[in-house]
């Protein structure tokens, strides 16, 4: 056995050199993570963004036929207290005639049909509709109580939505999306 042989070669036990390699590798790994961490950390949302994760909207002043627009996560949210006539018009629509038969309601299963109740706040609150106010064609903001069906109309490209926010005509491929929301009281809706 020569002088340059290590114990690892002959006995299978670690040597001081093996320890130094391991320690240097670990120091390098810690250094690499320390150098990369600021870049990873800056990708997390800041506190102002997290604060907007949910909002509460006071709807006590909305009489039937009135709407308001709130801002949530940088998007307009349409909240409307629909009239009996608007609800009846939405119920009269035949589901097989709808361009998009899916409810697009984050509060329901993904495959829920686009019935008026599935697009509204639910049984007993069919008069309330809460939707993200971005046209599903190119993200424009539609005008309320407009268009052929009395719902929303996007003047940019001609998409027409009914009183339940379902696409009826134009280039938009989907119904207006409904975010997660809940009534915290008869006068307040929590979105998000």
């Amino acid at each position: 056995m020569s002088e340059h042989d290590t114990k690892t070669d002959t006995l299978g036990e670690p040597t001081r050199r093996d320890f130094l390699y391991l320690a240097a590798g670990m120091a390098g790994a810690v250094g690499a993570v320390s150098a990369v961490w600021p870049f990873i950390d800056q990708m997390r949302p800041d506190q102002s963004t997290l604060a907007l994760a949910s909002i509460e909207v006071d709807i006590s002043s909305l009489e039937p036929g009135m709407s308001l627009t709130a801002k949530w996560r940088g998007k307009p949210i349409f909240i409307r207290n629909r009239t009996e006539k608007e609800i009846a018009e939405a119920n009269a629509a035949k589901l097989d005639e709808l361009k998009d038969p899916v409810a697009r309601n984050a509060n329901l299963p993904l495959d829920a049909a686009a019935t008026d109740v599935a697009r509204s706040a639910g049984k007993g609150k069919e008069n309330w509709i809460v939707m993200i106010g971005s046209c599903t064609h190119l993200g424009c903001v539609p005008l309320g109580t407009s268009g052929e069906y009395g719902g929303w109309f996007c003047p940019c490209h001609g998409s027409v939505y009914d009183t339940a926010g379902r696409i009826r005509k134009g280039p938009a491929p989907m119904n207006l999306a409904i975010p997660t929301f809940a009534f915290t009281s008869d006068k307040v809706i929590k979105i998000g």
Side-chain angles (χ1 to χ4, degrees), residues 150-163:
W152 288 264
F153 173 69
C154 185
C156 301
H157 302 100
S159 293
V160 180
Y161 300 89
D162 66 10
T163 58

Side-chain angles (χ1 to χ4, degrees), residues 147-189:
E148 185 178 336
Y149 295 92
W152 288 264
F153 173 69
C154 185
C156 301
H157 302 100
S159 293
V160 180
Y161 300 89
D162 66 10
T163 58
R166 298 173 295 199
I167 184 65
R168 301 301 292 274
K169 288 186 176 180
M174 296 179 291
N175 301 324
L176 294 174
I178 297 176
T180 303
F181 73 92
F183 281 82
T184 58
S185 72
D186 287 340
K187 298 179 180 183
V188 177
I189 296 175

Side-chain angles (χ1 to χ4, degrees), residues 9-31:
D9 294 339
T10 57
L11 301 175
E13 295 178 16
T15 66
R16 184 173 181 183
R17 180 177 292 166
D18 294 332
F19 173 76
L20 290 174
Y21 284 146
L22 183 63
M26 292 302 290
V30 169

Side-chain angles (χ1 to χ4, degrees), residues 95-145:
L95 294 180
D96 59 346
E97 294 176 0
L98 295 176
K99 192 171 177 182
D100 180 12
V102 180
R104 310 267 175 224
N105 186 337
N107 304 289
L108 299 175
L110 293 175
D111 62 347
T115 63
D116 182 59
V117 172
R119 299 278 306 155
S120 71
K123 294 277 186 196
K125 294 190 181 289
E126 293 91 348
N127 58 312
W128 292 103
I129 191 158
V130 179
M131 301 177 302
I132 297 174
S134 294
C135 179
T136 58
H137 177 231
L138 291 176
C140 307
V141 178
L143 304 173
T145 60

